[in-house]
Amino acid sequence: MLQHPQVKGPGIGLLGFSKGGDLSLSMASFLKNITAVVTINGPVANTVIPLSYKDKIIPSLPINQQNIKDYDDNILDFSVVPSDPFQVPGNQSLIPIEKAEAHLLFIAGQDDHVINSEYFVTETCKHLQAQGKENFQILIYPGVGHCLDPPFFPLYPIGNHPVFQRRAVLGGELMAYSKAQVHAWPQIQAFFHKYLNDK
């Protein structure tokens, strides 16, 4: 990526949403030259499939399919399906983000019905603080579901679950979502400008 003519360098910024968030955190934990990472409603544990890097394998976070809630019209709520990566004894699925040298911006919606984003983010920040790390910021938005797009994108409180390929509650309230879009987008841009611009 650093050799791409449109990449300014000297470092790389990553923006990851949902599964892209845990991939971005994994890249920052294992690769050099990742300077800034923004994750939006992304888990801090590896999900879906095992992640392999050199001789390291991070298994996927176990899921509890029996916790799926079924609403009318066969619309499902998956918010409590992933296991709690901070409570599973001997859990190996947590991404070792304490190894990341990048600056991290965690964004979470309090009405996320795909993963418990707020809980993941707050527990991650406690973990980082316990490791003596200060390279992170956090933005939590009430009334925001799993999706948080740039300003003026429409709200989709129901959509297809990216893993289970079923109709799912994504969450979100229109006014809160719209306000969060307008607030978050310039915060993300300012974060990247601060940590990616070559001094």
Side-chain angles (χ1 to χ4, degrees):
M1 291 173 77
L2 282 169
Q3 295 173 359
H4 193 286
Q6 292 185 352
V7 174
K8 178 181 174 184
I12 295 170
L14 302 173
L15 172 62
F17 160 70
S18 192
K19 173 65 182 171
D22 80 56
L23 289 174
S24 296
L25 291 172
S26 295
M27 290 175 69
S29 299
F30 295 113
L31 304 177
K32 296 181 179 180
N33 300 316
I34 308 292
T35 308
V37 175
V38 177
T39 175
I40 301 172
N41 290 327
V44 293
N46 185 52
T47 57
V48 186
I49 60 172
L51 176 76
S52 298
Y53 178 71
K54 295 186 178 178
D55 59 346
K56 176 80 171 165
I57 296 176
I58 301 178
S60 61
L61 183 66
I63 58 172
N64 304 307
Q65 292 197 30
Q66 70 274 11
N67 292 345
I68 297 172
K69 299 175 192 172
D70 193 349
Y71 294 105
D72 293 338
D73 301 323
N74 203 26
I75 298 171
L76 307 177
D77 185 330
F78 293 92
S79 57
V80 291
V81 171
S83 298
D84 183 340
F86 299 98
Q87 300 299 324
V88 177
N91 179 30
Q92 299 295 311
S93 64
L94 274 174
I95 298 163
I97 57 173
E98 65 277 1
K99 294 181 179 179
E101 295 180 7
H103 293 273
L104 309 170
L105 174 58
F106 298 99
I107 300 177
Q110 286 183 329
D111 194 38
D112 187 346
H113 286 259
V114 175
I115 64 168
N116 190 346
S117 298
E118 180 183 19
Y119 174 75
F120 273 45
V121 165
T122 54
E123 290 301 307
T124 298
C125 292
K126 289 178 191 175
H127 171 74
L128 289 170
Q129 286 176 325
Q131 300 286 325
K133 303 292 265 183
E134 298 179 351
N135 60 330
F136 61 91
Q137 299 172 45
I138 183 172
L139 293 173
I140 297 176
Y141 292 103
V144 170
H146 192 60
C147 298
L148 180 59
D149 299 302
F152 316 117
F153 274 68
L155 171 65
Y156 292 101
I158 296 173
N160 287 325
H161 190 282
V163 175
F164 294 99
Q165 297 299 308
R166 300 281 304 277
R167 298 286 290 158
V169 177
L170 302 177
E173 302 161 8
L174 182 59
M175 187 62 73
Y177 170 77
S178 299
K179 287 180 178 178
Q181 285 179 308
V182 171
H183 182 266
W185 189 241
Q187 298 293 318
I188 292 168
Q189 292 175 313
F191 178 81
F192 281 132
H193 280 294
K194 180 176 182 179
Y195 294 114
L196 290 179
N197 282 335
D198 187 359
K199 300 282 196 279

